[in-house]
Amino acid sequence: MATQQQMMAKFADKLEDIEKNQKTMATVLSGLAGKDFGSLSRNRRQLPVENGDVNVTEQTETSACTVSPGCPSGRDGRDGAPGRDGAAGRDGQPGPQGPIGEKGDIGPEGPPGEKGETGADGDGGGSVYIRWGRTTCPNDTDTSLIYDGIAGGTDCSHSGGGANYVCLPKDPEWGVFTDGNQGSAYMYGAEYQVDQFGNSPFQGASVYEHDVPCAVCHVASRGSKLMIPARLSCPSGWTREYKGYLMTERYTHYRSEFVCMDGEPETRPAGHVNHNGALFYPVEASCGSLPCPNYVQGRELTCVVCTK
């Protein structure tokens, strides 16, 4: 019985101690609620060091404050290590084109490039000329006949019209036309006028007042042509197509052009009628501004047609 009473007494003492501790804890928490973090009491603890002495350090008592809504914020922590670079983003859409800038200065000329390979030989482009006074082209100069025709031009007494002779085809083609003369411009045939003054250069040929033929010739292998007055031969490297005498309109008539009439002229059949029209006269040298010598006053001038 005594033992039971002792145990009951000890149990009562324990309950009393618990009540006291609860009252003490409530008092502490009530006091902490209105105080700064810096006013908290600090616990001290001892840490051993290498030489065996004891080093005292302070530790802030925060265990009660961690659960209180009134606790102040703590100090900022140290910066963490930089993170890794993120993945590259996608390319954006192209922006609008900006204005064109000013033209810059021309740069210095660069060094010449290497010489290219030599190309294949061409055909020279070819050339075309009129052989006055003949119906054929020379056979020994690799030429071909395009067509033979009729020499024509403006009437010798007309101040208007063309100033050149032309080689008209024998078979004209017509477009829109009005029959009858309307007084515009006219094309005439041409005649030789070589015996009128007794100075025909064509020995053994009677061509006076005959109609003049012509031939249009093509040279496939030589791209350049040249008529040289007062010469019968061509420069070195050139091929002579034909030679003859320089002819044009009479000086008292209206002007035309100088052409090279073949030295062995032909005439158009049934063309021996004096119709005049465009006329061909031999051209004589006239000294003065033309130097004599080497030219001779009144001498009929020669000519040559050359290709290359």
Side-chain angles (χ1 to χ4, degrees):
M1 187 70 173
T3 303
Q4 185 177 4
Q5 290 177 349
Q6 290 176 353
M7 291 177 63
M8 292 296 291
K10 288 182 181 181
F11 182 74
D13 290 339
K14 290 290 183 180
L15 290 176
E16 186 178 357
D17 290 339
I18 290 173
E19 290 177 355
K20 288 181 180 180
N21 289 337
Q22 289 177 345
K23 291 180 179 180
T24 302
M25 180 61 71
T27 303
V28 171
L29 292 175
S30 177
L32 289 175
K35 292 184 179 182
D36 293 336
F37 183 79
S39 65
L40 296 175
S41 62
R42 300 177 182 273
N43 294 328
R44 297 178 181 274
R45 63 178 177 174
Q46 296 179 350
L47 298 175
V49 294
E50 292 182 357
N51 58 6
D53 295 335
V54 176
N55 186 21
V56 178
T57 182
E58 292 185 351
Q59 183 177 6
T60 303
E61 186 179 273
T62 60
S63 60
C65 191
T66 57
V67 297
S68 175
C71 291
S73 301
R75 292 178 295 176
D76 294 339
R78 291 179 297 175
D79 294 340
R84 292 178 296 176
D85 292 341
R90 293 179 297 176
D91 294 340
Q93 297 296 327
Q97 182 176 356
I100 299 176
E102 297 181 359
K103 185 177 180 180
D105 297 333
I106 298 177
E109 183 178 355
E114 297 181 359
K115 183 178 180 180
E117 298 181 359
T118 302
D121 293 338
D123 57 6
S127 60
V128 175
Y129 65 87
I130 298 175
R131 188 182 189 187
W132 299 103
R134 296 295 295 266
T135 58
T136 59
C137 298
N139 294 323
D140 56 350
T141 57
D142 298 324
T143 60
S144 59
L145 177 69
I146 300 176
Y147 69 90
D148 67 295
I150 306 162
T154 299
D155 188 278
C156 61
S157 62
H158 292 177
S159 59
N164 60 308
Y165 300 105
V166 294
C167 187
L168 298 165
K170 297 177 181 178
D171 51 348
E173 298 175 347
W174 306 104
V176 177
F177 59 87
T178 301
D179 289 333
N181 293 337
Q182 282 76 48
S184 53
Y186 300 106
M187 176 67 70
Y188 292 85
E191 298 178 351
Y192 295 105
Q193 295 289 321
V194 291
D195 291 322
Q196 183 177 3
F197 304 103
N199 62 340
S200 174
F202 307 117
Q203 300 298 314
S206 178
V207 296
Y208 178 55
E209 293 186 345
H210 279 260
D211 296 342
V212 181
C214 56
V216 179
C217 305
H218 176 237
V219 185
S221 60
R222 295 181 291 277
S224 300
K225 66 176 181 179
L226 176 65
M227 189 275 281
I228 306 176
R231 294 287 296 181
L232 294 172
S233 59
C234 294
S236 176
W238 290 73
T239 298
R240 185 174 72 183
E241 297 295 323
Y242 72 94
K243 61 181 180 177
Y245 292 91
L246 199 65
M247 304 192 80
T248 189
E249 276 285 3
R250 189 182 180 193
Y251 78 99
T252 58
H253 297 169
Y254 290 100
R255 293 179 179 178
S256 61
E257 64 176 328
F258 293 105
V259 299
C260 187
M261 188 67 65
D262 194 280
E264 298 178 357
E266 300 173 352
T267 60
R268 288 190 58 242
H272 186 203
V273 178
N274 184 19
H275 293 297
N276 286 326
L279 303 176
F280 286 98
Y281 287 85
V283 178
E284 300 175 335
S286 181
C287 296
S289 298
L290 186 68
C292 297
N294 292 330
Y295 288 89
V296 177
Q297 178 67 36
R299 185 173 292 182
E300 284 68 35
L301 297 175
T302 58
C303 59
V304 64
V305 174
C306 310
T307 58
K308 181 179 181 180

